[in-house]
């Protein structure tokens, strides 16, 4: 069967078989690997996913390759653990996702028509409902970070036709929420009230909505700003150290000089 495949596809399959073999050997012979459970691997998998995210934002292809390998290892590891109780194995995992992809792409593997990305998304969500999902929003993991979750629930709602029609309407909503937050904050005095917190949440949600509407990923945008701030702050600390000072010993005006220098180097 595999002899008819291209040489490169054969290499890919051989590499995957090599990983499966190594996983078998580690699970049998390594005390650490033998001890692991799905629960013990969970936080490590989350960490690996964030490391992949970092490397993608840095556009570091060498690191992306490395982190993809780590995640592939984790997938194989979970499947190996499950196979030991005959729950499922890696073949079941891969066949399951293949069947899902085929069933959810009837415009490729069936006679459904989808001329654009939006129609594909709508078909996808309708098929998920037919498969048993009780809500369009049911597929959004509850443990997602709040910013990512906001974007995902908005995308899911859009796939069901629940969305703004024009971007100016979304911006008007942002301005409305900004005013409501300012009012609630001013009324709360020095200690922000529960009402101010609620309105701030509404404001963030509306900003995420606007970002999504103009094709900006808010999570990516915020993380790029985080990285930019960290880089500038590290420069500020390094320059202060050269002067034999700590930041606590410097005035804000003195720090601003180095901050502006850092901005010019970007």
């Amino acid at each position: 069967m595999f002899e008819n495949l291209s040489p490169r596809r054969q290499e890919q399959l051989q590499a995957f078989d090599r990983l499966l073999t190594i996983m078998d050997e580690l699970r049998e012979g390594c005390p650490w690997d033998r001890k692991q459970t799905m629960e013990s691997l969970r936080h490590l998998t989350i960490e690996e996913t964030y490391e992949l995210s970092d490397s993608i934002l840095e556009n570091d292809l060498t690191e992306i390759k490395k982190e993809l390998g780590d995640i592939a290892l984790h997938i194989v590891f979970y499947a190996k653990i499950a196979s030991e109780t005959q729950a499922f194995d890696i073949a079941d995992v891969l066949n399951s996702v293949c069947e899902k992809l085929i069933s959810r792409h009837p415009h490729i593997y069936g006679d459904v028509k989808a001329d654009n990305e939006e129609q594909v998304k709508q078909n996808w969500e309708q098929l998920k409902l037919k498969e048993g999902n009780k809500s369009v929003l049911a597929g959004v993991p509850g443990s997602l970070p709040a910013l990512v979750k906001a974007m995902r629930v908005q995308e899911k709602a859009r796939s069901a036709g629940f969305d703004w029609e024009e971007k100016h309407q979304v911006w008007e909503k942002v301005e409305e929420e900004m005013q409501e937050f300012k009012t609630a904050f001013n009324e709360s005095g020095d200690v922000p009230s529960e009402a101010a917190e609620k309105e701030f949440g509404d404001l963030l949600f509306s900003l995420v909505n606007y970002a999504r509407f103009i094709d900006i990923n808010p999570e990516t945008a915020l993380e790029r700003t985080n990285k930019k701030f960290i880089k500038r702050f590290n420069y500020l600390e390094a320059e202060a150290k050269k002067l034999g000072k700590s930041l606590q010993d410097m005035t804000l005006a003195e720090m601003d000089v180095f901050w502006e220098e850092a901005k010019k180097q970007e």
Side-chain angles (χ1 to χ4, degrees):
M1 175 181 174
F2 293 151
E3 291 76 10
N4 296 325
L5 300 175
S6 68
R8 188 55 184 163
R9 178 52 60 89
Q10 292 184 45
E11 289 178 19
Q12 292 167 346
L13 293 172
Q14 289 168 0
F16 192 61
D17 178 68
R18 184 184 180 197
L19 176 59
L20 293 175
T21 300
I22 291 172
M23 185 72 259
D24 290 343
E25 294 169 347
L26 293 178
R27 187 67 173 171
E28 181 178 349
C30 174
W32 185 89
D33 289 277
R34 202 164 50 233
K35 183 181 178 181
Q36 300 313 305
T37 65
M38 290 191 182
E39 289 76 15
S40 69
L41 289 173
R42 177 181 173 275
H43 76 281
L44 298 175
T45 306
I46 294 171
E47 182 180 328
E48 295 294 354
T49 303
Y50 278 109
E51 289 177 358
L52 173 62
S53 175
D54 285 343
S55 62
I56 291 173
L57 286 176
E58 297 294 334
N59 195 29
D60 188 333
L61 294 179
T62 299
E63 281 300 305
I64 291 173
K65 179 180 71 173
K66 170 180 171 292
E67 299 304 338
L68 285 173
D70 290 340
I71 290 177
L73 170 61
H74 278 238
I75 293 170
V76 168
F77 209 153
Y78 287 115
K80 175 62 179 177
I81 293 171
S83 72
E84 294 166 355
T85 59
Q86 288 77 51
F88 59 82
D89 64 11
I90 192 65
D92 298 318
V93 171
L94 298 180
N95 282 324
S96 175
V97 73
C98 287
E99 293 301 325
K100 181 172 72 173
L101 289 172
I102 291 170
S103 68
R104 292 190 185 173
H105 288 80
H107 54 291
I108 301 296
Y109 301 103
D111 55 6
V112 173
K113 188 175 182 181
D115 295 324
N116 54 56
E117 178 187 1
E118 199 60 40
Q119 289 178 341
V120 171
K121 289 181 178 179
Q122 291 175 359
N123 288 341
W124 183 281
E125 294 301 334
Q126 290 302 313
L127 287 166
K128 288 176 70 174
L129 289 174
K130 289 180 180 179
E131 291 168 5
N133 278 12
K134 295 181 179 180
S135 168
V136 170
L137 303 182
V140 180
S143 59
L144 275 180
L147 187 65
V148 180
K149 186 187 293 185
M151 181 174 63
R152 291 298 291 138
V153 298
Q154 290 170 8
E155 289 174 340
K156 294 282 188 181
R158 177 179 177 82
S159 71
F162 186 75
D163 202 7
W164 301 93
E165 294 180 350
E166 303 290 341
K167 66 180 181 182
H168 72 84
Q169 297 172 312
V170 191
W171 185 250
E172 287 171 1
K173 185 62 176 177
V174 172
E175 293 179 323
E176 175 188 326
E177 296 295 353
M178 172 65 82
Q179 187 57 51
E180 290 179 2
F181 167 67
K182 289 170 65 176
T183 299
F185 187 82
N186 290 337
E187 291 176 351
S188 67
D190 294 334
V191 181
S193 65
E194 186 175 318
E197 181 184 81
K198 171 184 172 297
E199 295 300 341
F200 187 71
D202 291 347
L203 174 59
L204 283 179
F205 192 85
S206 65
L207 282 169
V208 169
N209 214 352
Y210 187 73
R212 177 187 58 81
F213 212 85
I214 59 174
D215 294 324
I216 290 176
N217 185 306
E219 169 70 18
T220 301
L222 182 57
E223 182 56 17
R224 290 191 189 282
T225 296
N226 288 339
K227 288 181 177 294
K228 180 171 62 177
F229 183 91
I230 290 169
K231 184 178 180 181
R232 292 176 184 176
F233 196 83
N234 287 342
Y235 178 87
L236 170 59
E237 288 180 312
E239 293 303 308
K241 189 174 181 180
K242 289 178 184 178
L243 297 176
K245 294 184 176 182
S246 68
L247 297 185
Q248 290 81 0
D249 298 328
M250 299 175 66
T251 66
L252 185 58
E254 289 174 323
M255 288 189 281
D256 276 342
V257 172
F258 293 130
W259 188 266
E260 292 300 321
E261 289 179 6
K263 288 171 63 176
K264 291 177 181 177
Q265 296 181 18
E266 293 172 358

